[in-house]
Amino acid sequence: MSYAGDLTPEAAYELLGSDAGAVLVDVRSDPEWRFVGVPDVSAHGKQPLFVSWRTGAPGAAEAFVAELAAAGVRPDGDTPVVLLCRSGVRSVAAAEALAAAGAGRAYNVVDGFEGPLDADGHRGGSGWRAAGLPWRQS
């Protein structure tokens, strides 16, 4: 593993509440944010950052790191950056990109916001929402 590690949704929420500098980055796409919902960390006095991970796009890693830096999240090794996607796949790639850029504390949220597909081809059995963590429609 080339990034800091995987966190359960509950552990990610706890870290965001216990570390004032911790940042949540939702790497899904705009339609996912608008139609599926977004994590709500306002109880911790925070708002998630919304920066899409563009899988397979040329220069995706560099563009992602640059977009985060422009938003004030620099891969300096100190800041805990918690990355969330739909099922925990894109967020691993994003965590790896941040770690390669120097972030020592880039974390992936296991099962993401909705979790992987179940035997019937549906999502929602695991992840942030299924854990009962705060979320809202955007």
Side-chain angles (χ1 to χ4, degrees):
M1 180 180 311
S2 63
Y3 54 97
D6 296 319
L7 298 173
T8 64
E10 297 90 346
Y13 190 75
E14 183 177 314
L15 173 64
L16 290 161
S18 66
D19 189 317
V23 177
L24 176 62
V25 180
D26 188 328
V27 303
R28 295 175 297 152
S29 66
D30 183 65
E32 289 171 296
W33 301 322
R34 287 189 290 135
F35 300 115
V36 178
V38 296
D40 182 356
V41 290
S42 61
H44 298 317
K46 300 178 181 188
Q47 295 299 318
L49 291 176
F50 300 103
V51 180
S52 291
W53 176 261
R54 292 165 183 86
T55 304
E62 296 81 6
F64 178 77
V65 171
E67 194 170 343
L68 280 179
V73 178
R74 302 191 192 294
D76 61 8
D78 254 358
T79 302
V81 182
V82 177
L83 298 133
L84 173 95
C85 68
R86 179 183 60 206
S87 62
V89 175
R90 286 173 285 178
S91 50
V92 166
E96 289 173 339
L98 275 177
R105 297 181 67 192
Y107 298 96
N108 168 57
V109 177
V110 176
D111 291 337
F113 192 70
E114 297 180 88
L117 295 172
D118 64 16
D120 295 320
H122 302 135
R123 295 186 192 280
S126 62
W128 186 279
R129 283 193 329 189
L133 296 172
W135 67 282
R136 62 179 175 77
Q137 292 297 139
S138 61

